[in-house]
Amino acid sequence: MKVLDVSAIKDGSVIDHIDSKSTLKVADILNIQNEEQVVLVGMNLTSKFLGKKGIIKIGGKIIDQKEVNKIALIAPNATVNIIKDYEVVKKFKVAVPEVIEGIVKCFNPNCVSNHHKIETKLHVVSKNPIRLQCHYCERIMNSKDIVLI
Ligand code: CTP
């Protein structure tokens, strides 16, 4: 029998296979404290692939592309499941896009994007490990430099 570590939801989004240590960062991206419907968070659950994983279930919410792009930067192995009437109706793995616009701050304090009202733009030069190059100042950032907007 299949027993769920965190109970099933009727409608909403399930973010599964989060690297356990990144679970609360994903929770921040999804702004779960402002949700009005059921939110379930599991951490250090057993996973065949990751050893330990995190999972976040949000009732009544379909997560949007911007949120998926942010999650991909923090939890590259995450899977998104959309649930309708207790069934998984859509399942996909998050993916880092080629260009990241408006979601990551450039870490160079002198970059023009930190001084003028322009949307940040970074080119993904490597996905694993993640390396991003600022479109404006051309500085290269690693995962430790990433600050989400
Ligand atoms: N889930 C849920 N509520 C439902 C249906 C599914 O919370 N009504 C969750 C499950 O707990 C699981 C995820 O959605 O974490 C995906 O469900 P399913 O595809 O049935 O599970 P697995 O086959 O284990 O998924 P995967 O192959 O992606 O590991």
Side-chain angles (χ1 to χ4, degrees):
M1 192 178 89
K2 189 170 160 181
V3 179
L4 296 183
D5 283 315
V6 182
S7 57
I9 57 170
K10 182 171 186 289
D11 296 289
S13 303
V14 174
I15 299 85
D16 198 355
H17 306 296
I18 303 168
D19 170 38
S20 205
K21 288 189 222 61
S22 303
T23 311
L24 295 180
K25 287 188 192 157
V26 175
D28 264 350
I29 291 170
L30 295 168
N31 209 4
I32 59 169
Q33 64 272 39
N34 290 333
E35 286 296 326
E36 291 185 354
Q37 300 208 46
V38 169
V39 176
L40 303 170
V41 178
M43 287 170 69
N44 295 330
L45 306 176
T46 307
S47 160
K48 274 184 228 126
F49 314 107
L50 300 173
K52 283 184 173 177
K53 70 169 184 179
I55 190 163
I56 299 178
K57 304 188 179 191
I58 308 179
K61 171 176 166 139
I62 309 290
I63 79 165
D64 66 33
Q65 192 57 48
K66 197 164 184 177
E67 290 169 323
V68 172
N69 290 350
K70 286 184 180 181
I71 293 169
L73 294 171
I74 300 297
N77 297 308
T79 318
V80 177
N81 300 272
I82 306 299
I83 314 292
K84 284 216 174 91
D85 218 3
Y86 289 104
E87 297 291 327
V88 177
V89 292
K90 196 171 167 193
K91 182 193 285 281
F92 58 92
K93 206 171 165 337
V94 298
V96 177
E98 299 301 322
V99 180
I100 296 174
E101 289 178 280
I103 64 174
V104 175
K105 225 172 113 57
C106 176
F107 81 140
N108 171 10
N110 297 323
C111 178
V112 66
S113 67
N114 286 318
H115 296 281
H116 293 278
K117 275 201 174 311
I118 45 175
E119 190 172 61
T120 65
K121 182 170 175 178
L122 295 115
H123 300 275
V124 178
V125 287
S126 151
K127 292 192 178 180
N128 197 4
I130 188 94
R131 292 174 77 229
L132 310 175
Q133 182 169 37
C134 179
H135 180 76
Y136 299 104
C137 72
E138 298 185 348
R139 288 276 287 271
I140 295 197
M141 306 167 49
N142 298 319
S143 86
K144 65 173 181 0
D145 308 315
I146 293 177
V147 175
L148 298 174
I149 292 169

